[in-house]
Structures are given as structure tokens and as C-alpha cells.
Amino acid sequence: MSPSTEHIRSLALAGHAGAGKTTLFEAMLHAGGALTGMGSVERGSTVSDTDPMEKARGHSIDASIASIDRNGYRIHLLDTPGYADFRGPALAALAAADTVAIVVNAANGIEHGTRSMMVHAKQRGIARLIVVNRIDAEGVDLAALVDDLREEFGNECLPLNLPASKGHSVRDAFFQTAGDTDFSSPGEAHQRIIDQVVEIDDDVMEHYLEAGESALSAAEIRAALEHCLRDGHLVPIVFTSARDGVGVVELLDLVEKILPCPSETNPPPFLDANDKPFDVTADPARHVIADVFKIVNDPFVGKLGVFRVWQGCVRKDSSLFVDDGRKPFKVAHLFRLKGREHVEIDEALPGDIAAVAKIDDIHFDAVLHDASDEGRIHLEPAAFPAPMYGLAVEPAHKGQEQKLSQALGKLAEEDPCFRVEHHKELNETVVRGLSDLHLKLMLERMKARYDVDVITHPPRIAYRETIGAAAEGHHRHKKQTGGAGQFGEVFLRVEPLDRGAGFVFDDQTKGGVIPGQFMPAIEKGVRQALDHGAIAGYPIQDVRVVVYDGKHHPVDSKEVAFISAGRKAFLDAVSRARPLVLEPLVDLEVSIPDHYVGDVTGGLASRRAQIMGTDSLRGSETLIKARVPLAELVDYPTQLKAMTGGQGRYAMAFSHYDTVPPGVQKKLAEAWKPRVEED
């Protein structure tokens, strides 16, 4: 028997790597009766980290899901990766939760992952809870850590319980007001919470000031508390030591009694066909609206689409549409997840997390629904980090090109921060991710799952060529092999155009020196040279070609002759027109802790960067804005990670093309000459 929607909770565990999220996930499942015994990260026996790569490395790479049925409640738990390299699956999982528990290692304090996940959850309007873990670690100052949390994230961060017995137990401070604790007191903490909660509602505040807390009904306090959590006016702090089970049962009690249910949460921003907000309600009687937040391509089960139900009730054997598709699919099997285990269920209510298998059209961020007239409903995209680190890949064995393409496509379905690009111009396939480690593990996964080996190398830079001055060129193509020959002579002029203008071809011949039917052949020859370059082998752009004279032969002139004459006349003109190599410049934004500013700006200067300015960000961070040649950023992610201890983040966007320095142009031209000679 499924619990009612009011008795469903969903909690995502997020935060910095090493905070103890997976151990807490395991401890909560054990304390809630979903496991008979706790697994261990060190032994690779947890419900969450089941992938061989996760077991080998001792940390999460993907988000994992399991649920607890306890006291008439169902609690869906989502364990997310802490390393910034795997931020895609973590942020995707947050979209399915009503509350995000930011887990903080008491021994390490506030770390980069703590800040970034707190900011993301706040921006998406998700209720937040701070779990201070490892409270029994030697030498920790929990009172100072609470002060740090309040200073960093605001005075709305308040303890709901307090550590006692030197971190070996916790005492409630919301429902109780007495007892010994390691710092502060339950009474003092309780008063702070009530003062914070009642001020969210003017009527409750007035009632409280007039008659005191004892005059407030449980319903008034619960409604005000729910309002505070939904609006971020209260961010509860709780304490645990997950490895020893300290505070875990108390955390589960608070999840049931205090955290918002599906009808009390802020749903993600759904939009209608006109991109106007579309309201969803946690009502099982209404049409189904569900969001697919995770895709798993299982070699044995097939494609698995994991979704959160926001409205309506998904039942086994019902029919659902994917996005604006007009052909529904039948829910032949409906699953609840427990790590890698799939448990068949009959229905999923609003607030439930469930999965369907072997639906080809399903994809990340798909909206599932059961009404064809709601097919244009979609989600406003969440802000994921841009995958900037790139590697060019090619199959290690001939004949595996198609297999490689399919395998990369399946990996890209699973991770919103893993992207596959096919560069036709450079004849390259490039994979992009958040770091070298991210790509390394994705390619290892591809080898393990699909048996595809690849060769990798840095992506080629999409240089361009152009000219810096006007010049004239000429070529006479004459070939006599017995019988009819080939003849075509072309005089042309090249002129530089504004950057980004492209290519213009102009016929200014007079008197029929070149018959009109041969002019397309000349242009074809010129375009061949445009595609293959003149000095370094890169496409030529921003040039105007004017054909102004030439000669033809009434018998020997043919298209092939004018193609050759046009191409070689153009190359002759370019060689005289101060040829230039252009490189792509990108606008780069780097976010770093303040104390790394000098090192990072110095590093950028060594990469031919132009520093455009800096901005101060909240949380003692600085945003550096620079314009940098793309070629200088090939290994930048690795350097930035090493320079900032993994705390630096960056994003870039194409700006424009500009000329390379003479020394760089010389190297590119010299590298191209041997290849030309080989051809």
C-alpha cells in the first residue's frame, strides 16, 4: 500500500567530496529498515557505489537512488557525487528532490562543493538542510563551525538539534527545550528557531507577540515552518556521525516531521508551448506530469529512464507520451530503484521517484505526460557547468567507427556535462567534459561496457587564413596530350574583407575573354583553394575575388582547365597579398577564491591573455574576465585545478578571430609544408 502524497519525502545528499554523503546514505537506509546491515565505502559494499570504477576509487561518480518505508512515510534518498568533475549527475539529481541536504565534514569545514551546491539549490528554489557530519572527529569546534555557516550562508542557518556527549549523541532542540549539549542549549536554539519561523507570517507573528509560543497551534507552527523552508527563510542545521550512526535516526525523524512534502515544495519551472509558466500541482487525480532526470544505459536491462512524478499518478500498464510525441508508450514495467536493484511497483504518486525501461524516445529532461494536448510542456533548462575540457578521439581499430559513435551517444545521454562534437571541417570527433578525470573515466566506462578502445589527442584548433592586402594573380593552364588539349587562362585580384564577412566572387571580365559558361568552373577552383588553405592548410575567409581578364581557346577550353587555372591564379594572388593565419579568441571567465587571484592572472598573462577586468563575488571569490587565444587553453583545466586545489571554475565562449603572432604563423606554416610535400 502506497503512502499518501503528504507522507512522501525526497532528500538529495550533496556537498563536497569526502563529506561522508555515501556513508550517511547507507546509514539512513540501515536505520530506516531498508538494509539489514551497513555497507562500507572502503570495502566497496555500499548500495550507492556499485560501479566497479566507484568501488576502485572509493567515491561516487553517478547519482544513486534508494527509498525507505518507515512509520507510514516513504523517503526517497538520492546520493550525489561530490567531486566537481561529476557535477552533471549531481545537479540533475537535485531537480528530483524536495529538499537538498548539504553534508559538511566537521573536520574540514566549509569547502568549495559546500558553497556551490548551496548556491545552486537556492537558485532553483529547493529547500535546504545542512548536515554537519563526523561530529565525533578529534579536535572539531562545532560551535565555531555553526558560526562560520551562519556568516557564509546567512542567519537563516539555525540548529534544529545539538551535539551532546562530545559528539556521541544529539539532542532535539525543536520539540524539546531541555538537556545537556556540547555548546549552546536546546532552549536557546529552540527560541531562535521559533523567532525565525514566526516572522514569515504577519498573522502568526502578531499572535505570537500577543500571547507567546504556547498560544500557537501545531498547525500554525507547521504552516509557518513549511513556508520558511520553501522560501529559504530557514536552513536547518543538524548533526550526525554517519559511520557510528549518531544522529541518523534523529535525522530520519526530522525528515518525516519537518521537511516539506510534495505539495509544499517549489516544483521546477515548467513552461507551456508559449514559454509561459505552467503550474503543476501534487494532485494524484490530475493529468500526469513527470520529469526524467536520469538515464542509465544498462547492457542487460536496456535504456532506463528515471523520473520524478510532479502531478498525477503513473500506473503500471498505463500509457504515457514523451514530450510532444504523438505516439504513447505503454508502461509495461514500473520500477523503484535501490541502487542497482529494480523493484517492480504498481503505481507512482506525486513525489515518487520511479523508472521505466526500454523506451527508445526517452531522454534526459524529457517530460512524461498522459494527455496529448499537454505535449508542448517542457522544463526551463537548469544551469549546468559548460563542458570545456576536450579530447579528440578515434577508434583504435579500423571498422569500429560506427560502434564508437553509438557508444559515445549512449554516454552523452547519461551525463548532461558530457558532450560529443563532430567537426566535419577538421575530420575529428571531440568529446568534452568537466575535466581530464571526467573524460578519462567516461572513456574507461565506454571500454568496459561497449568494448571500444580509442586513441586520444588534443583537439585541433580551427584556425583560419585570410589576406592583409590586395594583390593580383595569374595562371595559364595548358595541356596537350595529342588530340584535343586543355586550355584556360585567368587573371584575378584578391581583396581583404572585414573580419567575418566570408567570401565574395565577382566577374568583371569584358568582351567575352572568358565565356560565361566557364565562370562557375573558375569559382569552383577558387573555392577548392579556399577549403584547403594557402599557407598553413586552413580554410581561407574574408576575401573578395575579382576575375578581370583571361583567355580561352574555342576548341581546347574546358571546365577542368578553368578549375585548375582559377585555383592556381587564386593561390598566386594570395601569396602576394600578405597572407595571415587567424586564430579563435574566446571570452574566459574564471571564478576563484580571492587568495589565488595573483597566481591565476599571472598564469593567464603567460598564455597571451588580455585581462578585461575582475569582479568580487559573494563568499570571498573573485571573477576574472579575460580574452584568450583558444590554442593557449588546451591544458588550462589541469593547470587551474592544480593552481587552486580544485576550487577554480571557468567558462568560455567564442569571441572572434584575430591574427596570430608571426612566430606562431611561421610554426603552423612549417608544420604544413611536410604534409603538402608528402601529398
Side-chain angles (χ1 to χ4, degrees), residues 64-134:
S64 187
I65 303 153
S67 59
I68 298 167
D69 286 299
R70 175 182 187 263
N71 299 333
Y73 288 83
R74 175 171 298 136
I75 303 171
H76 295 286
L77 293 178
L78 301 99
D79 181 26
T80 69
Y83 282 100
D85 313 74
F86 313 108
R87 192 54 50 81
L91 296 183
L94 262 58
D98 293 325
T99 305
V100 176
I102 308 296
V103 184
V104 179
N105 186 330
N108 298 341
I110 299 169
E111 299 176 274
H112 171 65
T114 315
R115 295 187 183 93
S116 61
M117 298 308 271
M118 281 286 284
V119 168
H120 180 85
K122 183 177 182 179
Q123 290 174 342
R124 294 297 282 185
I126 309 171
R128 291 167 293 161
L129 169 75
I130 296 174
V131 179
V132 177
N133 191 34
R134 292 193 63 202

Side-chain angles (χ1 to χ4, degrees), residues 18-31:
K21 297 180 295 298
T22 298
T23 302
L24 180 59
F25 183 80
E26 196 80 4
M28 292 177 76
L29 292 175
H30 179 238

Side-chain angles (χ1 to χ4, degrees), residues 516-639:
Q517 69 264 29
F518 293 126
M519 202 55 64
I522 297 174
E523 182 175 354
K524 182 177 181 181
V526 170
R527 287 187 178 275
Q528 286 179 354
L530 285 175
D531 291 341
H532 294 93
I535 55 171
Y538 296 99
I540 302 172
Q541 67 177 37
D542 306 333
V543 62
R544 180 176 184 235
V545 175
V546 179
V547 180
Y548 64 87
D549 200 1
K551 293 180 181 177
H552 75 287
H553 188 279
V555 176
D556 292 346
S557 286
K558 297 178 177 64
E559 283 190 9
V560 65
F562 278 101
I563 289 173
S564 179
R567 180 171 61 84
K568 293 181 179 179
F570 175 73
L571 292 174
D572 181 46
V574 168
S575 69
R576 308 166 190 269
R578 196 159 54 86
L580 303 169
V581 175
L582 304 174
E583 64 180 346
L585 301 187
V586 297
D587 288 326
L588 182 73
E589 292 188 347
V590 186
S591 302
I592 51 169
D594 292 342
H595 52 279
Y596 293 117
V597 169
D599 292 340
V600 172
T601 53
L604 287 172
S606 70
R607 294 173 181 267
R608 297 194 284 130
Q610 178 186 359
I611 306 297
M612 311 297 287
T614 60
D615 292 328
S616 294
L617 303 177
R618 184 178 176 182
S620 302
E621 286 203 342
T622 297
L623 179 70
I624 300 173
K625 299 178 181 178
R627 186 161 291 159
V628 198
L630 181 61
E632 297 287 344
L633 296 176
V634 171
D635 63 342
Y636 189 65
T638 304
Q639 188 202 53

Side-chain angles (χ1 to χ4, degrees), residues 269-279 376-380:
F270 286 95
L271 305 174
D272 64 15
N274 299 313
D275 287 335
K276 302 293 184 183
F278 181 88
D279 293 330
R376 302 298 297 277
I377 298 168
H378 56 286
L379 269 175
E380 182 180 289

Side-chain angles (χ1 to χ4, degrees), residues 445-475:
R445 176 173 289 176
M446 182 174 68
K447 166 62 178 172
R449 278 193 198 170
Y450 307 109
D451 194 28
V452 179
D453 275 317
V454 293
I455 299 169
T456 65
H457 55 84
R460 292 179 64 197
I461 302 298
Y463 291 104
R464 298 286 188 271
E465 297 180 17
T466 192
I467 56 175
E472 295 184 349
H474 160 254
H475 185 77

